[in-house]
């Protein structure tokens, strides 16, 4: 008479018995490529919000300047204050302080005509203080685009792709910590992992920071135009 354990040995663990291997999907998944989201604030958006703004010079003496811009209301009003080696922009869209050269207008000054050009990455390095809006924040759509980009050269299976959609991409709207952890800790049934995904940058510059950069460049342009008019007269 054989016991339960004897039957288990004979049916599954016996050297002469071949156990069925787990079926692994071999069909390669086609991963669509997602476009990275556009900046939250571009020149057109900025200009749309300050259509009726006028400049008021409250103080102007060498490196020390105090300029205020508004349409007469508190909506999107801002002011630029400079002193030796520093520039501050503050108002309805937040507060940021920059430091780089003695006259910060020369650092930010752009062309007097044409598009307003900003350099968010480099200028962020010169920001020495910021308010609660910050310079950058996690963006769910940027996270999704990074995941898709990460997979472009991989040979993952259809089943693996379905796991990624269910366990990783579905977490994009749950916040940076949850989303990033879901990717870093992911391991598919066929052992695919997002190697070194902790290095992936899934942040974008905030709307308020970009808006303020455009405001600085535009404000300096208005100041320079006003000075040019004074010299003509």
């Amino acid at each position: 008479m054989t016991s339960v354990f004897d039957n288990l040995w004979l049916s599954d663990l016996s050297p002469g018995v071949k156990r069925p291997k787990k079926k692994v999907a071999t069909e390669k998944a086609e991963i669509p490529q997602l476009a990275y989201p556009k900046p939250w604030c571009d020149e057109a958006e900025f200009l749309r919000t300050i259509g009726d703004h006028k400049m008021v010079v409250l103080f102007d003496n060498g490196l020390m300047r105090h300029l205020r811009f508004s349409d007469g209301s508190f909506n999107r009003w801002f002011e630029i204050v400079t002193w030796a080696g520093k520039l501050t922009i503050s108002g309805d869209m937040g507060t940021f302080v920059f430091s780089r050269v003695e006259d910060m207008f020369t650092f930010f000054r752009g062309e007097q005509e044409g598009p307003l050009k900003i350099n968010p990455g480099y200028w962020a390095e010169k920001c020495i203080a910021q308010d609660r809006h910050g310079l950058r924040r996690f963006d769910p759509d940027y996270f999704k685009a990074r995941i898709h980009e990460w997979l472009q050269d991989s040979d993952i299976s259809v089943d693996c792709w379905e796991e990624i959609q269910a366990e990783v991409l579905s977490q994009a709207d749950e916040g940076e910590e949850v989303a990033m952890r879901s990717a870093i800790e992911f391991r598919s049934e066929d052992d695919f992992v997002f190697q070194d995904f902790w290095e992936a940058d899934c942040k974008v510059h905030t709307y308020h920071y970009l808006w303020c950069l455009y405001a600085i460049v535009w404000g300096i342009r208005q100041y320079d135009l006003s000075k040019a008019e004074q010299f003509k007269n």
Side-chain angles (χ1 to χ4, degrees):
M1 182 175 180
T2 59
S3 68
V4 173
F5 296 105
D6 291 330
N7 290 332
L8 178 63
W9 165 257
L10 292 173
S11 63
D12 192 40
L13 301 180
S14 174
V17 178
K18 292 184 178 180
R19 288 181 294 170
K21 293 183 179 180
K22 183 177 179 180
K23 184 178 180 181
V24 178
T26 56
E27 183 182 354
K28 181 180 177 181
E30 294 185 7
I31 311 300
Q33 189 164 9
L34 290 186
Y36 282 99
K38 295 180 180 180
W40 288 11
C41 180
D42 56 15
E43 180 184 10
E45 166 67 8
F46 168 74
L47 293 176
R48 182 189 66 79
T49 63
I50 53 96
D52 297 322
H53 276 43
K54 306 297 181 185
M55 179 182 70
V56 176
V57 179
L58 300 175
F59 191 81
D60 186 14
N61 184 8
L63 298 177
M64 301 179 67
R65 311 178 185 90
H66 186 179
L67 315 176
R68 182 170 294 163
F69 303 84
S70 76
D71 60 2
S73 72
F74 291 109
N75 183 34
R76 304 292 178 117
W77 78 275
F78 67 96
E79 59 184 14
I80 297 174
V81 177
T82 65
W83 63 102
K86 303 290 189 297
L87 180 148
T88 296
I89 181 170
S90 60
D92 192 34
M93 296 301 288
T95 301
F96 299 90
V97 183
F98 299 88
S99 179
R100 178 62 177 87
V101 296
E102 186 176 23
D103 184 356
M104 288 300 291
F105 268 25
T106 64
F107 179 74
F108 287 108
R109 181 175 279 121
E111 300 293 333
Q112 288 305 302
E113 296 180 353
L116 300 174
K117 297 180 180 179
I118 63 174
N119 191 341
Y122 177 59
W123 291 354
E125 298 174 6
K126 312 310 173 187
C127 183
I128 60 175
Q130 55 188 282
D131 67 4
R132 61 187 175 83
H133 300 296
L135 303 176
R136 305 174 76 226
R137 59 166 292 179
F138 174 79
D139 184 280
D141 291 330
Y142 205 89
F143 171 77
K144 293 176 184 178
R146 289 288 283 171
I147 290 292
H148 280 248
E149 181 185 55
W150 212 269
L151 297 172
Q152 288 305 305
D153 296 327
S154 66
D155 293 322
I156 64 171
S157 66
V158 172
D159 286 352
C160 179
W161 172 231
E162 291 176 351
E163 289 180 61
I164 292 170
Q165 293 178 83
E167 299 178 24
V168 180
L169 292 175
S170 65
Q171 303 302 304
D173 294 319
E174 300 301 321
E176 179 180 11
E177 183 178 350
V178 173
M180 292 297 291
R181 187 170 65 245
S182 71
I184 294 170
E185 297 179 355
F186 176 80
R187 181 179 290 275
S188 70
E189 290 292 331
D190 48 11
D191 291 329
F192 173 82
V193 296
F194 287 96
Q195 188 71 34
D196 298 327
F197 194 79
W198 58 272
E199 297 178 344
D201 185 359
C202 299
K203 293 183 178 182
V204 297
H205 291 107
T206 65
Y207 179 96
H208 289 74
Y209 171 61
L210 295 175
W211 193 96
C212 285
L213 293 187
Y214 281 114
I216 291 172
V217 176
W218 181 82
I220 294 174
R221 179 179 290 186
Q222 306 314 303
Y223 173 84
D224 289 343
L225 290 173
S226 175
K227 284 288 189 181
E229 285 296 321
Q230 291 178 20
F231 289 137
K232 287 182 181 179
N233 299 330

Short mmCIF file of all heavy atoms in Angstrom, two decimals, residues 21-67:
data_model
loop_
_atom_site.label_atom_id
_atom_site.label_comp_id
_atom_site.label_asym_id
_atom_site.label_seq_id
_atom_site.Cartn_x
_atom_site.Cartn_y
_atom_site.Cartn_z
N LYS A 21 6.77 22.24 -17.87
CA LYS A 21 7.38 23.54 -17.65
C LYS A 21 6.33 24.63 -17.76
O LYS A 21 5.35 24.51 -18.49
CB LYS A 21 8.49 23.80 -18.68
CG LYS A 21 9.68 22.89 -18.52
CD LYS A 21 10.76 23.27 -19.53
CE LYS A 21 11.98 22.38 -19.37
NZ LYS A 21 13.05 22.75 -20.34
N LYS A 22 6.58 25.69 -16.99
CA LYS A 22 5.66 26.81 -17.03
C LYS A 22 5.72 27.46 -18.41
O LYS A 22 6.78 27.71 -18.97
CB LYS A 22 6.06 27.86 -15.97
CG LYS A 22 5.11 29.02 -15.89
CD LYS A 22 5.55 29.95 -14.79
CE LYS A 22 4.62 31.14 -14.71
NZ LYS A 22 5.00 32.08 -13.64
N LYS A 23 4.54 27.72 -18.96
CA LYS A 23 4.47 28.31 -20.30
C LYS A 23 4.86 29.78 -20.24
O LYS A 23 4.33 30.54 -19.44
CB LYS A 23 3.05 28.17 -20.86
CG LYS A 23 2.92 28.69 -22.28
CD LYS A 23 1.51 28.50 -22.80
CE LYS A 23 1.39 29.02 -24.22
NZ LYS A 23 0.01 28.86 -24.74
N VAL A 24 5.82 30.15 -21.03
CA VAL A 24 6.29 31.54 -21.08
C VAL A 24 5.92 32.13 -22.44
O VAL A 24 6.22 31.54 -23.48
CB VAL A 24 7.82 31.64 -20.88
CG1 VAL A 24 8.27 33.09 -20.99
CG2 VAL A 24 8.20 31.05 -19.53
N ALA A 25 5.26 33.29 -22.39
CA ALA A 25 4.86 33.93 -23.65
C ALA A 25 6.09 34.37 -24.43
O ALA A 25 7.01 34.94 -23.87
CB ALA A 25 3.97 35.13 -23.36
N THR A 26 6.12 34.05 -25.69
CA THR A 26 7.28 34.41 -26.50
C THR A 26 6.94 35.50 -27.51
O THR A 26 7.83 36.03 -28.16
CB THR A 26 7.80 33.18 -27.26
OG1 THR A 26 6.73 32.62 -28.04
CG2 THR A 26 8.30 32.13 -26.28
N GLU A 27 5.67 35.80 -27.69
CA GLU A 27 5.29 36.84 -28.64
C GLU A 27 5.75 38.20 -28.15
O GLU A 27 5.47 38.60 -27.02
CB GLU A 27 3.77 36.85 -28.82
CG GLU A 27 3.30 37.86 -29.85
CD GLU A 27 1.78 37.88 -29.97
OE1 GLU A 27 1.13 37.04 -29.34
OE2 GLU A 27 1.27 38.76 -30.70
N LYS A 28 6.51 38.89 -28.98
CA LYS A 28 7.07 40.19 -28.59
C LYS A 28 6.00 41.27 -28.62
O LYS A 28 5.20 41.36 -29.54
CB LYS A 28 8.21 40.57 -29.52
CG LYS A 28 8.87 41.90 -29.17
CD LYS A 28 9.99 42.24 -30.13
CE LYS A 28 10.59 43.60 -29.81
NZ LYS A 28 11.67 43.97 -30.75
N ALA A 29 6.00 42.09 -27.58
CA ALA A 29 5.02 43.17 -27.49
C ALA A 29 5.47 44.37 -28.32
O ALA A 29 6.67 44.65 -28.42
CB ALA A 29 4.84 43.59 -26.04
N GLU A 30 4.54 45.04 -28.92
CA GLU A 30 4.83 46.28 -29.63
C GLU A 30 4.51 47.45 -28.70
O GLU A 30 3.35 47.69 -28.37
CB GLU A 30 3.99 46.37 -30.91
CG GLU A 30 4.34 45.32 -31.95
CD GLU A 30 3.56 45.51 -33.24
OE1 GLU A 30 2.86 46.53 -33.36
OE2 GLU A 30 3.67 44.64 -34.11
N ILE A 31 5.55 48.16 -28.28
CA ILE A 31 5.38 49.24 -27.31
C ILE A 31 5.22 50.57 -28.04
O ILE A 31 6.13 51.01 -28.74
CB ILE A 31 6.59 49.33 -26.36
CG1 ILE A 31 6.93 47.94 -25.80
CG2 ILE A 31 6.30 50.32 -25.25
CD1 ILE A 31 5.82 47.31 -25.02
N PRO A 32 4.08 51.22 -27.90
CA PRO A 32 3.92 52.53 -28.56
C PRO A 32 4.83 53.57 -27.90
O PRO A 32 5.10 53.49 -26.69
CB PRO A 32 2.44 52.86 -28.32
CG PRO A 32 2.08 52.09 -27.10
CD PRO A 32 2.89 50.83 -27.14
N GLN A 33 5.30 54.49 -28.67
CA GLN A 33 6.16 55.55 -28.14
C GLN A 33 5.31 56.77 -27.81
O GLN A 33 4.60 57.29 -28.66
CB GLN A 33 7.25 55.92 -29.15
CG GLN A 33 8.31 56.85 -28.55
CD GLN A 33 9.55 56.90 -29.42
OE1 GLN A 33 9.56 56.39 -30.52
NE2 GLN A 33 10.60 57.52 -28.93
N LEU A 34 5.39 57.20 -26.58
CA LEU A 34 4.62 58.35 -26.14
C LEU A 34 5.44 59.63 -26.26
O LEU A 34 6.63 59.64 -25.92
CB LEU A 34 4.17 58.19 -24.68
CG LEU A 34 3.12 57.13 -24.36
CD1 LEU A 34 2.72 57.23 -22.90
CD2 LEU A 34 1.90 57.29 -25.24
N ALA A 35 4.81 60.68 -26.72
CA ALA A 35 5.49 61.98 -26.78
C ALA A 35 5.54 62.57 -25.37
O ALA A 35 4.59 62.43 -24.60
CB ALA A 35 4.73 62.92 -27.71
N TYR A 36 6.65 63.20 -25.05
CA TYR A 36 6.76 63.85 -23.75
C TYR A 36 5.82 65.05 -23.70
O TYR A 36 5.65 65.75 -24.70
CB TYR A 36 8.19 64.29 -23.48
CG TYR A 36 9.09 63.15 -23.07
CD1 TYR A 36 9.92 62.52 -23.98
CD2 TYR A 36 9.07 62.69 -21.76
CE1 TYR A 36 10.73 61.44 -23.60
CE2 TYR A 36 9.88 61.63 -21.37
CZ TYR A 36 10.70 61.02 -22.28
OH TYR A 36 11.48 59.97 -21.90
N PRO A 37 5.18 65.29 -22.57
CA PRO A 37 4.24 66.41 -22.48
C PRO A 37 4.94 67.75 -22.69
O PRO A 37 6.11 67.92 -22.34
CB PRO A 37 3.68 66.30 -21.05
CG PRO A 37 4.72 65.52 -20.29
CD PRO A 37 5.31 64.56 -21.29
N LYS A 38 4.22 68.70 -23.27
CA LYS A 38 4.76 70.03 -23.49
C LYS A 38 4.92 70.76 -22.15
O LYS A 38 4.26 70.41 -21.18
CB LYS A 38 3.84 70.83 -24.42
CG LYS A 38 3.73 70.27 -25.82
CD LYS A 38 2.81 71.12 -26.67
CE LYS A 38 2.69 70.56 -28.08
NZ LYS A 38 1.78 71.37 -28.93
N PRO A 39 5.81 71.76 -22.11
CA PRO A 39 5.96 72.54 -20.85
C PRO A 39 4.62 73.10 -20.42
O PRO A 39 3.79 73.48 -21.24
CB PRO A 39 6.93 73.66 -21.26
CG PRO A 39 7.69 73.10 -22.42
CD PRO A 39 6.72 72.22 -23.16
N TRP A 40 4.41 73.15 -19.14
CA TRP A 40 3.14 73.63 -18.60
C TRP A 40 2.88 75.09 -18.95
O TRP A 40 1.75 75.52 -19.05
CB TRP A 40 3.13 73.43 -17.10
CG TRP A 40 3.01 72.00 -16.70
CD1 TRP A 40 3.13 70.90 -17.52
CD2 TRP A 40 2.75 71.49 -15.41
NE1 TRP A 40 2.96 69.75 -16.81
CE2 TRP A 40 2.74 70.07 -15.50
CE3 TRP A 40 2.55 72.07 -14.17
CZ2 TRP A 40 2.50 69.24 -14.42
CZ3 TRP A 40 2.32 71.25 -13.08
CH2 TRP A 40 2.30 69.85 -13.19
N CYS A 41 3.94 75.86 -19.11
CA CYS A 41 3.80 77.27 -19.47
C CYS A 41 4.79 77.60 -20.56
O CYS A 41 6.00 77.44 -20.38
CB CYS A 41 4.02 78.17 -18.25
SG CYS A 41 3.85 79.94 -18.61
N ASP A 42 4.30 78.05 -21.71
CA ASP A 42 5.18 78.50 -22.77
C ASP A 42 4.96 80.00 -22.99
O ASP A 42 4.20 80.65 -22.27
CB ASP A 42 4.94 77.71 -24.06
CG ASP A 42 3.49 77.77 -24.52
OD1 ASP A 42 2.72 78.64 -24.04
OD2 ASP A 42 3.11 76.95 -25.37
N GLU A 43 5.64 80.55 -23.99
CA GLU A 43 5.55 81.99 -24.22
C GLU A 43 4.12 82.43 -24.52
O GLU A 43 3.65 83.45 -24.00
CB GLU A 43 6.47 82.40 -25.37
CG GLU A 43 6.43 83.90 -25.66
CD GLU A 43 7.28 84.29 -26.87
OE1 GLU A 43 7.75 83.38 -27.59
OE2 GLU A 43 7.45 85.50 -27.09
N ALA A 44 3.43 81.66 -25.34
CA ALA A 44 2.05 82.03 -25.71
C ALA A 44 1.15 82.08 -24.48
O ALA A 44 0.32 82.99 -24.33
CB ALA A 44 1.51 81.05 -26.74
N GLU A 45 1.32 81.10 -23.60
CA GLU A 45 0.52 81.08 -22.37
C GLU A 45 0.84 82.29 -21.49
O GLU A 45 -0.06 82.94 -20.95
CB GLU A 45 0.80 79.78 -21.60
CG GLU A 45 0.31 79.75 -20.16
CD GLU A 45 -1.20 79.78 -20.01
OE1 GLU A 45 -1.91 79.66 -21.04
OE2 GLU A 45 -1.67 79.93 -18.87
N PHE A 46 2.12 82.60 -21.35
CA PHE A 46 2.50 83.74 -20.53
C PHE A 46 1.92 85.04 -21.10
O PHE A 46 1.30 85.82 -20.37
CB PHE A 46 4.02 83.86 -20.45
CG PHE A 46 4.48 85.17 -19.87
CD1 PHE A 46 4.38 85.42 -18.52
CD2 PHE A 46 5.00 86.17 -20.70
CE1 PHE A 46 4.77 86.65 -17.98
CE2 PHE A 46 5.39 87.39 -20.18
CZ PHE A 46 5.28 87.63 -18.82
N LEU A 47 2.10 85.27 -22.39
CA LEU A 47 1.61 86.51 -23.00
C LEU A 47 0.10 86.62 -22.92
O LEU A 47 -0.45 87.72 -22.79
CB LEU A 47 2.08 86.59 -24.45
CG LEU A 47 3.60 86.75 -24.66
CD1 LEU A 47 3.93 86.71 -26.14
CD2 LEU A 47 4.11 88.05 -24.03
N ARG A 48 -0.59 85.49 -22.98
CA ARG A 48 -2.04 85.50 -22.87
C ARG A 48 -2.49 86.03 -21.51
O ARG A 48 -3.53 86.70 -21.40
CB ARG A 48 -2.59 84.08 -23.07
CG ARG A 48 -4.10 83.97 -23.01
CD ARG A 48 -4.54 82.52 -23.00
NE ARG A 48 -4.13 81.83 -21.79
CZ ARG A 48 -4.78 81.95 -20.63
NH1 ARG A 48 -5.84 82.72 -20.52
NH2 ARG A 48 -4.35 81.29 -19.57
N THR A 49 -1.68 85.77 -20.48
CA THR A 49 -2.09 86.14 -19.11
C THR A 49 -1.70 87.56 -18.71
O THR A 49 -2.12 88.03 -17.66
CB THR A 49 -1.48 85.16 -18.10
OG1 THR A 49 -0.04 85.25 -18.14
CG2 THR A 49 -1.90 83.73 -18.39
N ILE A 50 -0.86 88.24 -19.50
CA ILE A 50 -0.42 89.59 -19.10
C ILE A 50 -0.70 90.61 -20.21
O ILE A 50 0.03 91.60 -20.36
CB ILE A 50 1.09 89.60 -18.73
CG1 ILE A 50 1.97 88.99 -19.85
CG2 ILE A 50 1.34 88.81 -17.46
CD1 ILE A 50 2.57 89.96 -20.78
N GLY A 51 -1.76 90.38 -20.95
CA GLY A 51 -2.06 91.23 -22.10
C GLY A 51 -2.15 92.72 -21.81
O GLY A 51 -1.76 93.55 -22.63
N ASP A 52 -2.66 93.10 -20.63
CA ASP A 52 -2.85 94.51 -20.30
C ASP A 52 -1.90 95.01 -19.21
O ASP A 52 -2.14 96.07 -18.62
CB ASP A 52 -4.30 94.76 -19.86
CG ASP A 52 -5.29 94.46 -20.98
OD1 ASP A 52 -4.97 94.77 -22.14
OD2 ASP A 52 -6.37 93.91 -20.69
N HIS A 53 -0.86 94.30 -18.94
CA HIS A 53 0.07 94.71 -17.88
C HIS A 53 0.87 95.95 -18.28
O HIS A 53 1.31 96.07 -19.42
CB HIS A 53 1.05 93.58 -17.55
CG HIS A 53 0.49 92.59 -16.56
ND1 HIS A 53 -0.79 92.12 -16.62
CD2 HIS A 53 1.07 92.00 -15.47
CE1 HIS A 53 -0.99 91.25 -15.63
NE2 HIS A 53 0.12 91.17 -14.92
N LYS A 54 1.06 96.84 -17.30
CA LYS A 54 1.87 98.04 -17.48
C LYS A 54 2.96 98.05 -16.41
O LYS A 54 2.81 97.48 -15.33
CB LYS A 54 1.04 99.31 -17.35
CG LYS A 54 -0.18 99.37 -18.27
CD LYS A 54 0.22 99.38 -19.74
CE LYS A 54 -1.03 99.47 -20.63
NZ LYS A 54 -0.68 99.35 -22.07
N MET A 55 4.06 98.71 -16.73
CA MET A 55 5.18 98.80 -15.78
C MET A 55 5.13 100.11 -15.01
O MET A 55 4.88 101.17 -15.58
CB MET A 55 6.51 98.70 -16.53
CG MET A 55 7.74 98.82 -15.62
SD MET A 55 9.30 98.75 -16.54
CE MET A 55 9.26 100.34 -17.41
N VAL A 56 5.38 100.01 -13.72
CA VAL A 56 5.54 101.19 -12.87
C VAL A 56 6.92 101.09 -12.22
O VAL A 56 7.23 100.08 -11.57
CB VAL A 56 4.46 101.27 -11.78
CG1 VAL A 56 4.72 102.44 -10.85
CG2 VAL A 56 3.08 101.38 -12.41
N VAL A 57 7.74 102.12 -12.41
CA VAL A 57 9.08 102.14 -11.81
C VAL A 57 8.98 102.79 -10.44
O VAL A 57 8.73 103.99 -10.32
CB VAL A 57 10.07 102.90 -12.70
CG1 VAL A 57 11.46 102.93 -12.04
CG2 VAL A 57 10.15 102.26 -14.09
N LEU A 58 9.17 101.99 -9.39
CA LEU A 58 9.08 102.50 -8.03
C LEU A 58 10.44 103.01 -7.53
O LEU A 58 10.49 103.89 -6.68
CB LEU A 58 8.56 101.41 -7.10
CG LEU A 58 7.17 100.86 -7.46
CD1 LEU A 58 6.80 99.70 -6.54
CD2 LEU A 58 6.13 101.96 -7.36
N PHE A 59 11.50 102.43 -8.05
CA PHE A 59 12.84 102.88 -7.67
C PHE A 59 13.81 102.44 -8.76
O PHE A 59 13.72 101.33 -9.28
CB PHE A 59 13.27 102.28 -6.33
CG PHE A 59 14.51 102.89 -5.75
CD1 PHE A 59 14.46 104.09 -5.06
CD2 PHE A 59 15.75 102.27 -5.92
CE1 PHE A 59 15.61 104.66 -4.53
CE2 PHE A 59 16.90 102.84 -5.40
CZ PHE A 59 16.83 104.04 -4.70
N ASP A 60 14.75 103.31 -9.11
CA ASP A 60 15.71 102.98 -10.17
C ASP A 60 16.98 103.79 -9.94
O ASP A 60 17.07 104.96 -10.28
CB ASP A 60 15.11 103.30 -11.54
CG ASP A 60 16.01 102.84 -12.69
OD1 ASP A 60 16.94 102.06 -12.44
OD2 ASP A 60 15.75 103.27 -13.83
N ASN A 61 17.98 103.13 -9.36
CA ASN A 61 19.23 103.81 -9.06
C ASN A 61 20.38 102.81 -9.20
O ASN A 61 20.68 102.05 -8.28
CB ASN A 61 19.21 104.39 -7.65
CG ASN A 61 20.47 105.19 -7.33
OD1 ASN A 61 21.30 105.43 -8.20
ND2 ASN A 61 20.63 105.58 -6.08
N GLY A 62 20.98 102.79 -10.39
CA GLY A 62 22.08 101.86 -10.64
C GLY A 62 21.62 100.42 -10.59
O GLY A 62 20.71 100.02 -11.31
N LEU A 63 22.26 99.63 -9.71
CA LEU A 63 21.91 98.22 -9.58
C LEU A 63 20.65 98.00 -8.76
O LEU A 63 20.11 96.89 -8.73
CB LEU A 63 23.07 97.45 -8.94
CG LEU A 63 24.39 97.43 -9.71
CD1 LEU A 63 25.46 96.69 -8.91
CD2 LEU A 63 24.21 96.78 -11.07
N MET A 64 20.18 99.04 -8.11
CA MET A 64 19.00 98.93 -7.25
C MET A 64 17.76 99.37 -8.03
O MET A 64 17.64 100.53 -8.42
CB MET A 64 19.19 99.76 -5.98
CG MET A 64 20.41 99.34 -5.18
SD MET A 64 20.67 100.34 -3.69
CE MET A 64 19.24 99.86 -2.73
N ARG A 65 16.87 98.42 -8.27
CA ARG A 65 15.66 98.69 -9.03
C ARG A 65 14.47 98.04 -8.34
O ARG A 65 14.59 96.99 -7.71
CB ARG A 65 15.78 98.13 -10.46
CG ARG A 65 17.05 98.47 -11.21
CD ARG A 65 17.03 97.80 -12.58
NE ARG A 65 18.26 97.97 -13.32
CZ ARG A 65 19.30 97.14 -13.27
NH1 ARG A 65 19.25 96.08 -12.49
NH2 ARG A 65 20.37 97.37 -14.01
N HIS A 66 13.32 98.69 -8.51
CA HIS A 66 12.07 98.11 -8.01
C HIS A 66 10.98 98.42 -9.05
O HIS A 66 10.55 99.56 -9.19
CB HIS A 66 11.69 98.71 -6.65
CG HIS A 66 10.49 98.05 -6.02
ND1 HIS A 66 10.00 98.42 -4.78
CD2 HIS A 66 9.68 97.05 -6.46
CE1 HIS A 66 8.95 97.68 -4.49
NE2 HIS A 66 8.73 96.85 -5.49
N LEU A 67 10.60 97.39 -9.80
CA LEU A 67 9.64 97.54 -10.88
C LEU A 67 8.39 96.72 -10.58
O LEU A 67 8.49 95.58 -10.12
CB LEU A 67 10.24 97.06 -12.21
CG LEU A 67 11.66 97.50 -12.55
CD1 LEU A 67 12.13 96.85 -13.85
CD2 LEU A 67 11.75 99.02 -12.64
#
